[in-house]
């Protein structure tokens, strides 16, 4: 075996989440410790029985608000369009968007040409397909047709005379072609930016150093107190001895960073993949459309004193270097940096909005009024009304554990002659 030195936190995150054999999202999941019922096994990672719960899983009203955002832009320029979702998880958000459109805005459904789902997990792709297949019903004049990335599809008319909407999976956003028959794209990324690899740096007395992940050595005092059985390679964070190549590229010579703004001891996280993703989104919507990105993170260059990398297993936070590949690994999103990446691109007619808090965005999109209407509906039981009120509190509440202030929403919108009113910000 070849020996190498410590690896960057970005390489660690990339391997822990997306290694083809061992990655958290990409490897086949085992259900050994699962204690739910048989049907719920698909919920292994996301949801009540999984490692974390996300906004679309809390309530359909979240998806309705995202849909209304896209709808209000589309109504200003009602052309044919593609929908793109990055990291669709269990497919719930796309289901809610399409359900709302099919039942209330059939004109919008007629305008949809393709739906691209960007997903690395083979297991989640299957779950997404199952979720979306439920929308295919004899009652309405639309039909979802499923394709893999490699598969060429023709726009042949359906034997049932229904309008066909093509659903195509891709494993990365940048394999979706920039040019498309539909010039307009509506893109959503909900809790996906936080899964992207981040490099971590610290400003020290000696200058900028990179925080790296290293194998713990047997000389570590902790080894004297553990039994032979517990003895296995452990990982720890170390500081690079010198200026690494990434420190040079992502801090010292990075036009998006102002290294003088930091004090000794400050830690900075940089996701170059996040910046490239933003620039690709700008290209995808340069002929029309918008992107909404929702995630936890900091608005500007908030200074942190240690890495925000953390890991979750069954809703409990664990050390980010324990059980790589078996725990959800995540980092706060540096929205300030993403905004600067957007501003530095040549797509100057794509406007960046926000980030604003999730509370601000959802309330501007009318979430409170929508929940009140649902609660007051005669068909809503008392239990359902309670669930709705609790879901609203979780989505927009400010207290610890609520999403209202910790989650942020940023949008990129192609502006111009047609699109002038942008809601939500
Ligand atoms: N949006 C969903 C799921 C969030 S979990 C929700 O809110 O419920 C993160 C999602 O991103 C999962 O679907 C995961 O498989 C996917 N993902 C993680 N890393 C990715 C990558 N590098 N490229 C594409 N998808 C990725």
């Amino acid at each position: 075996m070849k020996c190498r030195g410590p690896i960057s936190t970005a390489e660690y995150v990339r391997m822990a989440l997306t290694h083809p054999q061992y990655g958290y999202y990409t490897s086949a999941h085992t259900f050994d410790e699962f204690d739910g019922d048989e049907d719920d096994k698909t919920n292994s990672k996301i949801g009540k029985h999984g490692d974390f719960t996300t906004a679309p899983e809390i309530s359909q009203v979240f998806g309705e608000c995202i849909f209304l955002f896209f709808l209000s832009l589309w109504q200003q320029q009602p052309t044919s369009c593609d929908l793109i979702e990055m990291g669709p998880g269990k497919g719930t958000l796309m289901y809610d968007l399409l359900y709302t459109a099919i039942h209330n805005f059939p004109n919008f459904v007629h305008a949809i040409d393709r739906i691209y789902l960007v997903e690395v997990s083979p297991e989640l792709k299957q779950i997404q397909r199952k979720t979306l297949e439920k929308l295919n019903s004899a009652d309405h004049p639309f039909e979802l047709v499923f394709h893999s990335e490699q598969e060429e599809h023709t726009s042949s008319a359906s034997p049932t005379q229904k309008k066909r909407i093509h659903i195509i999976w891709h494993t990365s956003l940048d394999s979706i072609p920039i040019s498309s028959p539909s010039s307009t794209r509506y893109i959503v990324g909900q809790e996906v930016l936080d899964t992207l690899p981040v490099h971590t740096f610290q400003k020290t007395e000696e200058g900028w150093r990179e925080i790296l992940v290293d194998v713990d050595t047997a000389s570590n005092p902790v080894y004297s107190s553990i039994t032979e059985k517990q003895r296995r390679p452990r990982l720890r964070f170390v500081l690079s001895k010198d200026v690494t190549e990434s420190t040079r590229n992502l801090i010292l010579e990075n036009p998006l960073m102002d290294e003088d703004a930091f004090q000794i001891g400050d830690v900075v996280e940089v996701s170059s993949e996040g910046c490239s993703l933003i620039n690709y989104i700008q290209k995808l919507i340069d002929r029309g459309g918008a992107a909404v990105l929702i995630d936890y993170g900091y608005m500007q260059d908030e200074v942190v004193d240690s890495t925000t990398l953390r890991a979750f297993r069954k809703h409990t936070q664990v050390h980010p270097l324990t059980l790589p590949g078996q725990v959800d690994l995540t980092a706060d999103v540096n929205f300030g940096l993403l905004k600067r990446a957007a501003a530095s691109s040549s797509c100057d007619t794509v406007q960046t909005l926000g980030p604003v808090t999730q509370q601000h965005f959802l309330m501007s999109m009318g979430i409170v009024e929508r929940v009140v209407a649902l609660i007051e509906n005669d068909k809503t039981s008392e239990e359902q009304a309670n669930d709705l009120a609790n879901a609203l509190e979780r989505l927009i509440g400010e207290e610890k554990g609520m999403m209202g202030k910790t989650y942020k929403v940023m949008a990129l919108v192609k502006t111009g002659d047609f699109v002038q009113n942008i809601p939500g910000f």
Side-chain angles (χ1 to χ4, degrees), residues 332-351:
D332 282 351
V333 175
N334 184 342
F335 280 106
L337 180 68
L338 297 182
K339 272 190 89 156
R340 290 199 294 281
S344 73
S345 101
S346 55
C347 298
D348 50 11
T349 56
V350 173
Q351 199 183 325

Side-chain angles (χ1 to χ4, degrees), residues 17-18 25 46 52 54-57 85-90 93 118-121 124 128 171-172 189-192 195-197 273:
L17 293 184
T18 60
Y25 286 117
I46 308 170
F52 55 100
T54 56
E57 303 301 326
E85 181 170 4
M86 298 181 282
K90 289 160 69 180
L93 176 58
V118 183
E119 179 56 72
V120 278
S121 159
L124 287 174
Q128 289 154 18
T171 42
S172 75
Q190 140 67 27
E191 273 206 50
V192 73
T195 69
L196 297 180
E273 291 192 21

Side-chain angles (χ1 to χ4, degrees), residues 1 25 51 54 94 106 130 196 202 249 262 276 392 402:
M1 196 186 180
Y25 286 117
D51 297 320
T54 56
M94 186 51 78
K130 266 194 176 165
L196 297 180
Q202 183 161 39
N249 294 338
F262 297 95
S276 310
L392 179 67
M402 307 287 144

Side-chain angles (χ1 to χ4, degrees), residues 270-316:
V270 180
S271 175
S272 47
E273 291 192 21
C275 295
S276 310
L277 189 93
I278 292 291
N279 294 147
Y280 200 76
I281 289 176
Q282 289 175 300
K283 289 185 189 152
L284 284 169
I285 61 174
D286 199 32
R287 287 165 60 215
V292 184
L293 304 162
I294 311 111
D295 229 304
Y296 37 79
Y298 31 99
M299 300 267 198
Q300 288 303 329
D301 294 294
E302 227 157 85
V303 168
V304 284
D305 56 8
S306 66
T307 172
T308 67
L309 259 189
R310 50 199 185 278
F312 289 89
R313 185 175 170 78
K314 308 226 172 275
H315 297 273
T316 305

Side-chain angles (χ1 to χ4, degrees), residues 79-84 111-116 153 155 168 170 175-186 280 283-288:
T79 53
S80 77
C81 60
D82 296 333
L83 302 186
I84 301 176
I112 303 172
D113 187 11
R114 295 153 201 240
I115 298 177
Y116 292 100
H153 63 275
S155 296
I168 306 149
H170 278 245
S175 63
I176 299 177
I178 303 239
S179 64
S180 118
S182 304
S183 52
T184 302
R185 263 83 184 265
Y186 296 107
Y280 200 76
K283 289 185 189 152
L284 284 169
I285 61 174
D286 199 32
R287 287 165 60 215

Side-chain angles (χ1 to χ4, degrees), residues 367-377 392:
I367 194 167
V368 176
E369 294 78 357
R370 172 69 180 142
V371 170
V372 169
L374 285 170
I375 288 177
E376 286 175 353
N377 189 311
L392 179 67

Side-chain angles (χ1 to χ4, degrees), residues 186-387:
Y186 296 107
I187 306 176
V188 61
Q190 140 67 27
E191 273 206 50
V192 73
L193 293 174
D194 66 279
T195 69
L196 297 180
V198 277
H199 281 90
T200 316
F201 306 96
Q202 183 161 39
K203 191 167 187 174
T204 72
E205 300 279 0
E206 285 78 43
W208 283 94
R209 293 291 181 266
E210 183 168 1
I211 297 179
L212 301 165
V213 177
D214 196 10
V215 177
D216 209 348
T217 59
S219 62
N220 187 320
V222 80
Y223 277 86
S224 58
S225 60
I226 57 177
T227 65
E228 197 56 41
K229 203 172 153 209
Q230 292 168 315
R231 199 179 286 263
R232 60 186 163 79
R234 279 155 206 276
L235 299 172
R236 61 173 174 167
F237 290 116
V238 293
L239 213 54
S240 68
K241 292 194 176 65
D242 294 304
V243 173
T244 59
E245 202 183 322
S246 302
T247 315
R248 199 167 301 116
N249 294 338
L250 300 178
I251 299 281
L252 303 174
E253 292 171 12
N254 185 350
L256 303 178
M257 294 301 299
D258 175 12
E259 50 140 335
D260 295 333
F262 297 95
Q263 314 271 324
I264 306 289
D266 287 353
V267 167
V268 172
E269 289 167 317
V270 180
S271 175
S272 47
E273 291 192 21
C275 295
S276 310
L277 189 93
I278 292 291
N279 294 147
Y280 200 76
I281 289 176
Q282 289 175 300
K283 289 185 189 152
L284 284 169
I285 61 174
D286 199 32
R287 287 165 60 215
V292 184
L293 304 162
I294 311 111
D295 229 304
Y296 37 79
Y298 31 99
M299 300 267 198
Q300 288 303 329
D301 294 294
E302 227 157 85
V303 168
V304 284
D305 56 8
S306 66
T307 172
T308 67
L309 259 189
R310 50 199 185 278
F312 289 89
R313 185 175 170 78
K314 308 226 172 275
H315 297 273
T316 305
Q317 191 167 344
V318 296
H319 191 277
L321 301 183
T322 45
L323 302 171
Q326 294 176 51
V327 295
D328 172 42
L329 205 54
T330 169
D332 282 351
V333 175
N334 184 342
F335 280 106
L337 180 68
L338 297 182
K339 272 190 89 156
R340 290 199 294 281
S344 73
S345 101
S346 55
C347 298
D348 50 11
T349 56
V350 173
Q351 199 183 325
T352 309
L353 296 119
V356 293
T357 63
Q358 177 166 298
Q359 179 192 60
H360 175 95
F361 177 79
L362 293 178
M363 287 181 69
S364 321
M365 297 313 300
I367 194 167
V368 176
E369 294 78 357
R370 172 69 180 142
V371 170
V372 169
L374 285 170
I375 288 177
E376 286 175 353
N377 189 311
D378 291 342
K379 291 193 200 125
T380 305
S381 70
E382 196 147 323
E383 195 188 342
Q384 287 169 326
N386 263 334
D387 288 349

